[in-house]
């Protein structure tokens, strides 16, 4: 099989996690890629990734500072894992250079930024995939099979409530800056994708929004242990960030969500929780309900049918006789009909990123369309901003189509100005 020469563009926390995912794919004999480049204007980050790639893949990719320098390496595909504000410029440049691209979520920093990539992609035959990992979790695949199999009947409502964080920094300073991708976009796009994955297109939303904690604290800067360091890759960067800083991005949103199929969603995303943390993801239908565990936990999904009949063990699989995970997921997670799994978070994280890479590879080879395409990735950006636009407008009902069509842009206006695309 001809290998696909690939470069990772953006060698920070997620760039390293993508490398670990690529190595996991490689270890399972599923990788069509050959990592030839590590690209980051911060050479130290690119060198770190290249060094770890050498250990994990047996070959050191060339370190470069920008996409132009990748030309000499014969690159055919790039994996864009930079901070969100560069996704659209790098995405468009990659397409113009005739490369396939996998782009981390949020695919664009604003709806307009995402639409810029869509415009370039429409004039090209390159494969663009959005690296959205949550839906690829085997437990979410099981939930989707149960829904599609009609096990809980017609979906009526969904509760999606998360809270935590207090006044602490979530991973990095940029996640609290509106012009860099605030946390409601950074995390919100994952949940927007999950909601549409389960229940189909969202038609409209209305919301209340708050910025509760304008001052955020980073304990790692003072030598304390970080409370927000997924996969353990952010420690060094967090120690160099300020101990205290001003947040400009809103940190809580409370929304009602109207799905096209008639179901209604109740959404809370609060990153300023000082009380009990929340995790509730439930879908209730005409025959029963599903109570879902947090993404990447491998924990058990609980079904309640006819009000009293609880199914929360292996017999749940009897209800979905045709449920099968795809080849890569099954090989990586150790079975094609899983109802739970148990790996350390770091390993689960790698496996799901490996699944993303497998999907991207099959898309490039023309074997099947990528699962989360630009249109879906852009919808997630639009759903998140529809909530924020509504919150900024005092709770106005907004249609996703209008937000996608850039008819509602007031909240995003200053971000677009900063990007030079207003
Ligand atoms: N799917 C997930 O679970 C998940 C988790 C974490 C982050 N992410 C996403 O990954 C992306 C990166 O997040 P992160 O946590 O790694 O951020 P980070 O700040 O740790 O790393 C960003 C890196 O991009 C580099 N960079 C900036 N401009 C660049 C350019 N023009 N060319 C090349 N490199 C450039 C920076 O120097 C830095 O090394 C974000 O879009 C974020 O939302 C996704």
């Amino acid at each position: 099989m001809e290998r696909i020469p690939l470069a990772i563009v953006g060698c920070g926390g997620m760039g390293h996690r993508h490398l670990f995912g690529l190595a996991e794919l490689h270890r399972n004999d599923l990788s069509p890629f050959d990592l030839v480049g590590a690209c980051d204007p911060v050479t130290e980050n690119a060198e770190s990734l290249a060094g770890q790639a050498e250990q994990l893949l047996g070959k050191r990719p060339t370190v470069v500072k920008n996409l132009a320098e990748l030309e000499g390496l014969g690159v055919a595909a790039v994996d864009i894992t930079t901070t969100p504000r560069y996704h659209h410029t790098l995405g468009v440049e990659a397409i113009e250079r005739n490369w396939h691209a996998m782009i981390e979520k949020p695919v664009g920093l604003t709806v307009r930024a995402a639409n810029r990539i869509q415009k370039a992609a429409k004039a090209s035959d390159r494969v663009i995939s959005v690296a959205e990992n949550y839906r690829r979790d085997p437990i979410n695949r099981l939930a989707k099979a149960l829904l599609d199999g009609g096990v809980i009947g017609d979906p009526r409502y969904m509760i999606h409530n998360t809270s935590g964080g207090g006044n602490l920094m979530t991973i990095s300073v940029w996640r609290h800056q509106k012009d860099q991708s605030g946390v409601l976009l950074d995390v919100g796009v994952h949940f927007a994708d999950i909601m549409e994955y389960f229940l189909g297109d969202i038609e409209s939303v209305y919301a209340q929004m708050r910025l509760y904690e304008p001052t955020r604290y980073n304990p790692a800067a003072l030598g304390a242990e970080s409370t927000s360091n997924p996969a353990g890759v952010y420690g060094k960067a967090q120690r160099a960030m300020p101990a205290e800083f001003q947040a400009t991005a809103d940190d809580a949103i409370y929304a009602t969500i109207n799905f096209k199929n008639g179901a209604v969603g109740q959404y809370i995303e609060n990153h300023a929780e000082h009380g009990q943390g929340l995790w509730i993801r439930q879908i209730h239908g005409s025959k029963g309900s599903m109570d879902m565990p947090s993404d990447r936990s491998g924990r058990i999904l609980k079904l309640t049918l006819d009000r009293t009949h609880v199914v929360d063990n292996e017999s749940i699989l009897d209800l979905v006789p045709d449920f099968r995970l795809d080849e890569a997921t099954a090989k990586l997670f150790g079975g094609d009909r899983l109802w739970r799994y148990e790996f350390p978070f770091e390993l689960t994280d790698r496996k799901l990123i490996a699944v993303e890479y497998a999907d991207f590879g099959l898309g490039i080879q023309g074997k099947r369309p990528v699962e989360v395409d630009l249109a879906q990735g852009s919808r997630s950006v639009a759903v998140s901003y529809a909530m924020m636009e509504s919150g900024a407008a005092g709770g106005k009902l907004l249609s996703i189509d209008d937000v996608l069509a850039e008819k509602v842009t007031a909240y995003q206006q200053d971000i677009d100005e900063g990007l030079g695309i207003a």
Side-chain angles (χ1 to χ4, degrees):
M1 185 176 52
E2 208 178 310
R3 318 281 302 163
I4 304 165
L6 171 85
I8 293 180
V9 179
C11 304
M14 206 48 180
H16 281 74
R17 287 162 71 183
H18 276 228
L19 167 67
F20 303 152
L22 190 62
E24 188 65 12
L25 197 68
H26 183 76
R27 208 169 62 80
N28 283 276
D29 279 332
L30 289 164
S31 177
F33 297 103
D34 181 16
L35 184 66
V36 298
C39 173
D40 200 303
V42 180
T43 304
E44 187 192 348
N45 292 359
E47 289 288 354
S48 165
L49 191 138
Q52 295 196 43
E54 189 170 11
Q55 283 174 15
L56 291 166
L57 300 170
K59 188 180 148 196
R60 188 181 174 86
T62 303
V63 166
V64 303
K65 282 188 159 56
N66 53 47
L67 297 192
E69 290 178 34
L70 285 176
E71 282 288 359
L73 306 178
V75 160
V78 285
D79 178 16
I80 299 174
T81 50
T82 67
T83 40
R85 64 180 292 112
Y86 305 103
H87 289 179
H88 67 291
T89 45
L90 292 169
V92 170
E93 187 179 340
I95 293 165
E96 285 169 359
R97 292 183 185 279
N98 214 28
W99 298 334
H100 306 287
M102 179 157 81
I103 307 177
E104 254 301 342
K105 46 58 60 178
V107 67
L109 180 57
T110 61
V111 170
R112 183 162 298 170
N115 285 344
R116 290 286 164 111
I117 312 176
Q118 292 225 48
K119 196 169 162 218
K122 275 200 183 109
S124 144
D125 64 351
R126 298 296 87 181
V127 172
I128 310 295
S129 173
V130 178
E132 175 47 67
N133 42 354
Y134 286 17
R135 63 160 68 201
R136 302 178 209 255
D137 185 319
I139 309 302
N140 287 332
R141 300 303 201 192
L142 172 61
K144 175 78 168 146
L146 289 161
L147 272 170
D148 290 351
V151 173
I152 64 161
D154 295 330
R156 291 178 175 172
Y157 70 96
M158 178 169 193
I159 307 174
H160 202 295
N161 291 355
T162 56
S163 75
N167 58 8
L168 298 173
M169 178 175 81
T170 300
I171 308 179
S172 45
V173 174
W174 65 256
R175 286 177 170 85
H176 297 280
Q177 307 302 322
K178 187 184 168 192
D179 64 346
Q180 307 279 324
S181 169
V183 72
L184 295 179
L185 179 68
D186 187 57
V187 177
V189 287
H190 282 303
F191 297 150
D193 182 76
I194 272 286
M195 288 191 288
E196 291 209 323
Y197 176 56
F198 286 141
L199 294 181
D201 283 2
I202 293 170
E203 175 129 51
S204 61
V205 301
Y206 54 94
Q208 295 294 322
M209 182 168 66
R210 301 286 185 270
L211 169 50
Y212 290 127
E213 301 292 346
T215 306
R216 288 269 167 178
Y217 298 91
N218 166 27
L222 304 174
E225 203 171 323
S226 167
T227 50
S228 175
N229 184 6
V233 293
Y234 295 96
K236 190 174 170 208
Q238 288 177 340
R239 285 191 288 279
M241 291 174 197
E244 180 184 330
F245 60 91
Q246 293 306 297
T248 55
D250 295 280
D251 52 21
I253 199 138
Y254 309 91
T256 295
I257 292 175
N258 302 309
F259 292 89
K260 280 193 179 145
N261 69 3
V264 180
Q266 190 249 25
Y267 187 85
I268 296 176
E269 189 188 336
N270 176 9
H271 297 275
E273 177 63 63
H274 287 269
Q276 183 182 333
L278 272 183
W279 169 267
I280 305 171
R281 179 185 288 158
Q282 294 180 349
I283 300 178
H284 295 249
S286 55
K287 290 188 192 165
S289 66
M290 289 196 310
D291 188 3
M292 287 169 263
S294 53
D295 307 289
R296 299 176 286 192
S297 70
R299 288 205 299 269
I300 298 165
L301 182 162
K302 181 177 152 193
L303 268 180
T304 305
L305 302 174
D306 292 327
R307 288 186 296 113
T308 53
H309 178 49
V310 173
V311 189
D312 60 359
N313 56 31
E314 196 170 2
S315 70
I316 203 166
L317 293 173
D318 299 341
L319 301 169
V320 278
D322 297 332
F323 167 57
R324 294 277 180 289
L325 294 166
D326 70 276
E327 189 193 344
T329 310
K331 191 161 186 197
L332 287 155
F333 281 84
D336 65 353
R337 277 169 62 74
L338 296 181
W339 62 286
R340 67 173 179 187
Y341 62 84
E342 236 174 293
F343 299 113
F345 175 84
E346 290 71 16
L347 192 51
T348 303
D349 191 50
R350 289 171 192 205
K351 289 179 186 295
L352 289 178
I353 293 168
V355 173
E356 288 176 344
Y357 269 125
D359 182 52
F360 183 41
L362 291 171
I364 293 171
Q365 290 164 344
K367 292 187 178 155
R368 65 174 200 215
V370 292
E371 179 170 343
V372 186
D373 59 12
L374 253 181
Q376 189 60 51
S378 303
R379 285 194 62 83
S380 300
V381 173
V383 168
S384 296
Y385 273 116
M387 290 193 241
M388 291 185 260
E389 292 283 1
S390 172
K396 197 173 167 195
L397 182 72
L398 293 178
S399 92
I400 305 306
D401 283 351
D402 282 353
V403 176
L404 257 178
E406 301 174 32
K407 291 183 188 160
V408 185
T409 57
Y411 184 75
Q412 300 162 80
Q413 178 70 24
D414 54 346
I415 314 174
D416 281 334
E417 278 165 17
L419 293 175
I421 58 173

